[in-house]
Amino acid sequence: MRAAVRDAGLRATPSRIAVLHLLRGAEAPVSHGDVVGKLASQAWDPATIYRNLTDLSDVGLARRTDVGDHVWRFEAITGSHQAGAHPHFVCTECGTVACLPDLEYVMTRAKAPRAIRQKRVEIQVRGRCDACM
Ligand SMILES: [Zn+2]
Ligand SMILES: [Zn+2]
């Protein structure tokens, strides 16, 4: 984790490591508020955590996503999130966000806009989650 942060050109501060660790362990994108809540025992100031999230996004270790509620959520770009752009399922009732597999078929179409091939898009699937059905 430390090496990943250093290789990306950032100083491996304890809060950055903790934020990246949390993002990599999360199954769905998390908001700044979620991260602050989960790291509350560490007494880091919310502004520091926000900077950590944006720094990690700027160097490509994480990505920012807006599922349509104008809240930035962050997720790590590794493992199950390696490909970067993948659709998110958003529950219209409770707001739960879940990651869906990559839409490789759409991504590889020759006529798809360049932004899709470069994975600079937000893909949202809206409906009711299992708990709200
Ligand atoms: Zn729901
Ligand atoms: Zn995701």
Side-chain angles (χ1 to χ4, degrees), residues 5 10-21 23 32 35-36 39 42 44-64 74:
V5 170
L10 294 175
R11 279 200 306 132
T13 62
S15 65
R16 250 182 217 139
I17 302 291
V19 168
L20 183 59
H21 186 75
L23 292 183
H32 172 236
V35 176
V36 169
L39 297 179
Q42 301 288 337
W44 285 313
D45 114 66
T48 301
I49 291 176
Y50 191 77
R51 270 198 308 277
N52 292 157
L53 287 166
T54 54
D55 289 346
L56 292 170
S57 304
D58 289 345
V59 299
L61 288 171
R63 72 187 295 265
R64 262 174 286 229
F74 300 83

XYZ file of all heavy atoms in Angstrom, residues 5 10-21 23 32 35-36 39 42 44-64 74:
331
model
N 1.459 4.140 -3.034
C 1.312 5.590 -2.836
C 2.599 6.301 -3.267
O 2.560 7.291 -3.985
C 0.967 5.901 -1.353
C 1.046 7.404 -1.083
C -0.427 5.375 -1.023
N 3.269 10.319 -4.393
C 2.738 10.980 -3.199
C 3.537 10.532 -1.976
O 4.108 9.444 -1.965
C 1.271 10.584 -2.980
C 0.245 11.037 -4.020
C -1.110 10.435 -3.691
C 0.158 12.545 -4.059
N 3.558 11.380 -0.955
C 4.171 10.959 0.302
C 3.227 9.966 0.983
O 2.010 10.155 0.986
C 4.415 12.157 1.219
C 5.687 12.913 0.842
C 6.173 13.744 2.008
N 5.108 14.619 2.487
C 4.759 14.753 3.770
N 5.393 14.103 4.715
N 3.778 15.565 4.102
N 3.813 8.912 1.537
C 2.995 7.867 2.168
C 2.653 8.261 3.600
O 3.173 7.712 4.562
C 3.735 6.543 2.121
N 1.766 9.243 3.749
C 1.365 9.673 5.084
C 0.383 8.648 5.662
O -0.300 7.953 4.912
C 0.680 11.051 5.046
O -0.518 10.946 4.261
C 1.574 12.109 4.418
N 0.323 8.555 7.012
C -0.577 7.561 7.623
C -2.025 7.708 7.156
O -2.704 6.709 6.903
C -0.455 7.845 9.123
C 0.885 8.493 9.278
C 1.112 9.280 8.010
N -2.515 8.948 7.006
C -3.917 9.105 6.617
C -4.137 8.669 5.164
O -5.141 8.042 4.838
C -4.392 10.542 6.842
O -3.711 11.446 6.004
N -3.173 8.968 4.289
C -3.302 8.541 2.890
C -3.349 7.021 2.780
O -4.139 6.468 2.034
C -2.109 9.041 2.089
C -2.503 10.117 1.119
C -1.312 10.558 0.299
N -1.439 11.978 0.092
C -0.464 12.855 0.146
N 0.763 12.456 0.401
N -0.702 14.117 -0.035
N -2.453 6.366 3.545
C -2.403 4.893 3.536
C -3.747 4.345 4.032
O -4.320 3.423 3.450
C -1.268 4.388 4.474
C 0.073 4.968 4.052
C -1.225 2.865 4.494
C 0.628 4.487 2.765
N -4.255 4.937 5.117
C -5.509 4.449 5.700
C -6.673 4.649 4.729
O -7.535 3.775 4.588
C -5.778 5.174 7.021
N -6.689 5.800 4.054
C -7.780 6.083 3.111
C -7.711 5.107 1.931
O -8.723 4.536 1.528
C -7.712 7.554 2.617
C -8.630 7.787 1.427
C -8.085 8.509 3.758
N -6.511 4.863 1.409
C -6.374 3.934 0.285
C -6.763 2.514 0.716
O -7.452 1.801 -0.014
C -4.935 3.961 -0.257
C -4.689 3.081 -1.496
C -5.588 3.493 -2.656
C -3.223 3.134 -1.933
N -6.341 2.134 1.907
C -6.675 0.810 2.443
C -8.198 0.643 2.512
O -8.745 -0.377 2.111
C -6.064 0.665 3.838
C -6.220 -0.695 4.418
N -5.467 -1.772 4.000
C -7.055 -1.181 5.358
C -5.831 -2.845 4.659
N -6.797 -2.522 5.495
N -10.480 2.328 0.775
C -11.062 2.287 -0.576
C -10.872 0.903 -1.192
O -11.773 0.365 -1.823
C -10.425 3.339 -1.487
C -10.696 4.812 -1.184
C -10.031 5.693 -2.240
C -12.183 5.107 -1.124
N -17.010 11.003 0.826
C -16.110 11.617 1.807
C -16.662 11.400 3.217
O -15.940 11.013 4.132
C -15.983 13.119 1.486
C -15.245 13.900 2.524
N -15.805 14.992 3.135
C -14.022 13.744 3.055
C -14.924 15.480 4.007
N -13.843 14.744 3.971
N -16.030 7.916 4.498
C -14.628 7.706 4.879
C -14.349 8.377 6.222
O -13.733 7.782 7.109
C -13.670 8.239 3.783
C -12.213 8.107 4.220
C -13.896 7.493 2.472
N -14.838 9.611 6.388
C -14.635 10.326 7.660
C -15.248 9.509 8.801
O -14.635 9.330 9.858
C -15.255 11.749 7.607
C -15.281 12.395 8.989
C -14.471 12.626 6.627
N -13.147 6.381 9.581
C -11.832 6.663 10.170
C -11.953 7.579 11.388
O -10.967 8.166 11.828
C -10.908 7.299 9.113
C -10.573 6.434 7.887
C -9.682 7.195 6.916
C -9.905 5.126 8.294
N -9.496 7.767 14.261
C -8.137 8.253 14.030
C -7.985 9.762 14.254
O -6.869 10.269 14.233
C -7.703 7.946 12.593
C -7.723 6.479 12.270
C -6.604 5.717 12.964
O -5.597 6.307 13.326
N -6.787 4.426 13.167
N -8.413 12.268 12.340
C -7.876 13.106 11.260
C -8.941 14.102 10.871
O -10.132 13.777 10.868
C -7.502 12.261 10.042
C -6.251 11.491 10.258
C -5.079 11.954 10.761
C -6.057 10.096 9.991
N -4.154 10.934 10.817
C -4.726 9.794 10.350
C -6.863 9.079 9.465
C -4.185 8.518 10.219
C -6.332 7.815 9.325
C -5.006 7.535 9.702
N -8.515 15.280 10.471
C -9.543 16.270 10.195
C -10.153 15.998 8.812
O -9.490 15.509 7.904
C -8.959 17.667 10.485
C -8.785 18.585 9.333
O -9.809 18.986 8.764
O -7.627 18.925 9.052
N -11.467 16.225 8.695
C -12.168 15.882 7.448
C -11.553 16.508 6.213
O -11.564 15.910 5.133
C -13.588 16.418 7.689
C -13.746 16.410 9.158
C -12.382 16.723 9.721
N -10.971 17.704 6.356
C -10.350 18.367 5.202
C -9.126 17.586 4.732
O -8.859 17.492 3.532
C -9.961 19.795 5.565
N -8.386 17.022 5.680
C -7.217 16.201 5.331
C -7.668 14.974 4.556
O -7.084 14.612 3.534
C -6.473 15.756 6.614
O -6.060 16.920 7.317
C -5.271 14.894 6.292
N -8.723 14.335 5.047
C -9.228 13.135 4.383
C -9.736 13.485 2.989
O -9.519 12.736 2.034
C -10.312 12.464 5.256
C -9.632 11.879 6.497
C -11.073 11.391 4.478
C -10.557 11.274 7.511
N -10.373 14.636 2.863
C -10.847 15.053 1.538
C -9.674 15.248 0.582
O -9.712 14.805 -0.567
C -11.686 16.341 1.623
C -12.369 16.603 0.306
C -13.513 15.871 -0.044
C -11.866 17.520 -0.604
C -14.115 16.056 -1.276
C -12.469 17.712 -1.836
C -13.600 16.982 -2.162
O -14.187 17.149 -3.383
N -8.616 15.892 1.083
C -7.423 16.082 0.241
C -6.811 14.740 -0.144
O -6.372 14.550 -1.267
C -6.383 16.950 0.964
C -6.541 18.434 0.691
C -5.274 19.206 1.052
N -4.829 18.921 2.422
C -5.335 19.529 3.499
N -6.267 20.453 3.379
N -4.897 19.220 4.694
N -6.779 13.792 0.805
C -6.243 12.463 0.508
C -7.035 11.809 -0.622
O -6.462 11.219 -1.527
C -6.303 11.558 1.753
C -5.372 11.998 2.860
O -5.587 11.672 4.010
N -4.339 12.758 2.534
N -8.360 11.931 -0.555
C -9.212 11.329 -1.588
C -8.955 11.958 -2.953
O -8.840 11.262 -3.960
C -10.692 11.492 -1.215
C -11.197 10.607 -0.066
C -12.544 11.091 0.441
C -11.296 9.149 -0.517
N -8.842 13.287 -2.985
C -8.626 13.942 -4.278
C -7.198 13.683 -4.780
O -7.004 13.466 -5.967
C -8.904 15.463 -4.209
O -8.143 16.026 -3.165
C -10.362 15.750 -3.956
N -6.207 13.634 -3.866
C -4.832 13.313 -4.284
C -4.777 11.917 -4.893
O -4.166 11.715 -5.943
C -3.869 13.359 -3.077
C -3.619 14.770 -2.586
O -3.952 15.726 -3.312
O -3.092 14.912 -1.464
N -5.395 10.953 -4.232
C -5.372 9.570 -4.735
C -6.061 9.494 -6.100
O -5.638 8.733 -6.973
C -6.038 8.618 -3.731
C -5.283 8.422 -2.402
C -6.152 7.666 -1.405
C -3.961 7.694 -2.614
N -7.110 10.303 -6.291
C -7.808 10.320 -7.582
C -6.937 10.976 -8.647
O -6.872 10.498 -9.777
C -9.132 11.079 -7.466
O -9.933 10.509 -6.456
N -6.267 12.065 -8.267
C -5.442 12.786 -9.237
C -4.302 11.925 -9.783
O -3.906 12.076 -10.927
C -4.864 14.068 -8.613
C -5.934 15.134 -8.386
O -7.036 14.993 -8.952
O -5.659 16.098 -7.650
N -3.757 11.034 -8.949
C -2.621 10.223 -9.410
C -3.066 8.874 -9.965
O -2.241 8.041 -10.329
C -1.571 10.003 -8.287
C -1.004 11.336 -7.822
C -2.158 9.213 -7.129
N -4.379 8.631 -10.009
C -4.863 7.411 -10.655
C -4.966 6.182 -9.768
O -5.165 5.081 -10.250
N -4.854 6.367 -8.449
C -5.033 5.217 -7.551
C -6.504 5.036 -7.191
O -6.911 4.010 -6.662
C -4.215 5.402 -6.264
C -2.701 5.250 -6.427
C -1.985 5.658 -5.148
C -2.338 3.818 -6.798
N -7.286 6.084 -7.441
C -8.721 6.029 -7.145
C -9.447 6.792 -8.239
O -8.819 7.488 -9.043
C -9.007 6.655 -5.784
N -10.734 6.617 -8.295
C -11.496 7.442 -9.229
C -12.727 7.987 -8.533
O -13.264 7.399 -7.611
C -11.842 6.678 -10.508
C -12.884 5.623 -10.392
C -12.993 4.846 -11.701
N -13.456 5.656 -12.809
C -14.742 5.728 -13.186
N -15.658 5.043 -12.554
N -15.094 6.477 -14.200
N -13.124 9.161 -8.999
C -14.298 9.856 -8.486
C -15.487 9.470 -9.329
O -15.368 9.399 -10.545
C -14.113 11.359 -8.664
C -13.636 12.096 -7.477
C -13.362 13.534 -7.863
N -12.128 13.600 -8.640
C -11.160 14.462 -8.384
N -11.293 15.335 -7.429
N -10.061 14.476 -9.107
N -15.821 7.782 -4.079
C -14.478 7.395 -4.485
C -14.318 5.886 -4.420
O -14.879 5.247 -3.539
C -13.442 8.054 -3.559
C -13.499 9.558 -3.588
C -14.429 10.240 -2.792
C -12.652 10.285 -4.407
C -14.496 11.634 -2.827
C -12.715 11.679 -4.440
C -13.632 12.353 -3.658
